[in-house]
Amino acid sequence: MSNATKTMPPAGIAGARPDILKRMVKHKLLYLLLSGALVWNVIFNYIPMAGVIVAFQEYDIFKGVMGSPFVGLKHFIDIFQVPALQKAILNTLLYSGVKLLFGFPLTVIFALLLNEIRHMMFKRVIQTISYLPHFLSWIAVASLGYSFFELYGPFNDLRQFIMGADAARLNILMDPDYFLGVIFFSSVFKEIGWGTIIYLAAISGIDSQLYEAAVMDGCGRFKQALHITLPGIVPTAMILFILSAGGILNANFEQIIGFQNLYTQQQTEVINTIVYKYGLQQGNFSLSTAFGLMQGVVSFIILYLVNKLAKKVSNVGLW
């Protein structure tokens, strides 16, 4: 065997790079369309990652990154010693966990119910109404919430109508015990309709012959949904669940800050609000950066573990 034959790379490896280049040239317009999002991510997501060095420094805004002293893991240790930070971690897990475990199934159920509506005009009206809150900002939703739950607002008027005029008026937005419920139901109100779009698209891709065969076998609408529609959207649901689980430490900042007030904020702080208050309001950039860095690392670990578990259970995963 000649030396040329011995050193020749496998055909798959040798042809891999030309194949990629050919595909890029062939689909150059698609890559051009993608380039904007790619550049945006590099500028705003990857380049700023160099700033994580601040988490290992006693950062002084006047000395800058090069002049600030290096303190190692001091700020990471402080995270577990400050009671407010510990409470913020627990609140983040609680709020995000409840929204994931209870809000996620509600979106799937709502998509299945929408799919069963046969009157197209009625279906479109329901979809439009459920989509509309998604286009409101969280601050607008919080303002609606304060108007609805105020002492002399619709909530208390309805409550007295049902329970009698002697029923005490409650301002639940001023009570931290109700904060979890407010966060959950406002999240469902705003996003449940928008979340059904992907599921309805997945349902539309299910082979109609499966439903025809099920009808011939005597299956009703419920059994068709249970044995055909639901299994058909499982891969899509698993991918969305994995992505949502990866963001469990990323409580919605705008939602939390919008519903917080002087009566509830001490008991309802989350990671994002702590990072905002320690970093921007108090100027403790090193501690807030350490907090954000740890949040990202733990989120990646959770994403990896959930993805691995999902592949074992359903053979569906991100990679």
Side-chain angles (χ1 to χ4, degrees):
M1 184 180 296
S2 65
N3 292 334
T5 305
K6 291 180 181 179
T7 58
M8 184 178 295
I13 297 176
R17 188 178 299 274
D19 286 345
I20 293 174
L21 294 176
K22 287 180 180 178
R23 287 200 301 270
M24 292 182 69
V25 172
K26 181 179 179 181
H27 303 290
K28 56 182 177 296
L29 294 180
L30 293 178
Y31 281 98
L32 181 63
L33 185 65
L34 179 65
S35 62
L38 182 62
V39 171
W40 188 92
N41 275 280
V42 169
I43 294 175
F44 292 101
N45 290 332
Y46 288 95
I47 294 178
M49 289 177 67
V52 299
I53 191 175
V54 173
F56 304 94
Q57 296 178 321
E58 196 65 58
Y59 181 73
D60 188 326
I61 191 172
F62 298 104
K63 295 180 180 179
V65 175
M66 303 304 295
S68 299
F70 182 79
V71 294
L73 300 177
K74 174 182 178 296
H75 300 296
F76 294 92
I77 297 173
D78 290 343
I79 290 175
F80 298 98
Q81 293 178 344
V82 179
L85 301 183
Q86 298 175 18
K87 181 66 174 178
I89 294 173
L90 294 177
N91 284 340
T92 302
L93 291 173
L94 176 62
Y95 300 155
S96 298
V98 168
K99 287 194 290 186
L100 178 63
L101 295 178
F102 296 98
F104 187 84
L106 284 179
T107 305
V108 176
I109 293 170
F110 187 56
L112 293 174
L113 292 175
L114 281 176
N115 184 63
E116 293 302 316
I117 298 176
R118 292 295 177 259
H119 194 287
M120 293 307 298
M121 182 59 69
F122 180 66
K123 181 178 181 179
R124 288 171 183 169
V125 170
I126 296 297
Q127 284 181 295
T128 302
I129 293 174
S130 64
Y131 292 168
L132 284 177
H134 171 79
F135 298 99
L136 298 175
S137 68
W138 271 113
I139 302 305
V141 173
S143 299
L144 290 174
Y146 275 97
S147 299
F148 183 78
F149 290 111
E150 65 181 357
L151 281 178
Y152 293 94
F155 172 77
N156 279 293
D157 292 342
L158 182 62
R159 187 170 178 272
Q160 286 194 334
F161 176 78
I162 296 173
M163 301 178 64
D166 295 333
R169 289 180 174 268
L170 301 175
N171 195 335
I172 65 174
L173 294 180
M174 302 298 178
D175 190 341
D177 292 337
Y178 294 103
F179 195 80
L180 175 59
V182 170
I183 292 300
F184 174 73
F185 287 108
S186 63
S187 180
V188 171
F189 164 75
K190 188 174 187 297
E191 300 296 346
I192 190 171
W194 188 257
T196 61
I197 293 177
I198 297 178
Y199 294 114
L200 291 174
I203 291 172
S204 66
I206 298 175
D207 192 348
S208 60
Q209 294 180 357
L210 295 174
Y211 294 101
E212 295 172 2
V215 171
M216 294 180 63
D217 288 339
C219 292
R221 297 279 290 276
F222 178 76
K223 288 189 176 180
Q224 291 178 38
L226 185 62
H227 298 291
I228 299 176
T229 308
L230 190 57
I233 65 174
V234 164
T236 302
M238 290 303 300
I239 293 296
L240 294 177
F241 180 81
I242 294 169
L243 293 174
S244 299
I248 197 170
L249 289 180
N250 187 26
N252 193 314
F253 171 77
E254 291 183 353
Q255 181 187 20
I256 302 296
I257 206 74
F259 281 104
Q260 276 184 344
N261 51 62
L262 291 175
Y263 300 95
T264 61
Q265 64 181 3
Q266 289 187 349
Q267 291 80 24
T268 58
E269 297 285 18
V270 295
I271 293 176
N272 291 345
T273 59
I274 284 289
V275 169
Y276 165 72
K277 290 173 181 177
Y278 271 72
L280 293 181
Q281 293 186 342
Q282 300 180 20
N284 196 337
F285 300 106
S286 295
L287 184 62
S288 60
T289 303
F291 214 63
L293 177 58
M294 181 169 287
Q295 178 187 10
V297 171
V298 175
S299 295
F300 175 76
I301 294 173
I302 293 174
L303 177 66
Y304 175 81
L305 293 176
V306 172
N307 181 74
K308 193 171 184 179
L309 180 62
K311 289 195 71 173
K312 286 187 177 181
V313 174
S314 63
N315 201 30
V316 176
L318 296 177
W319 61 82

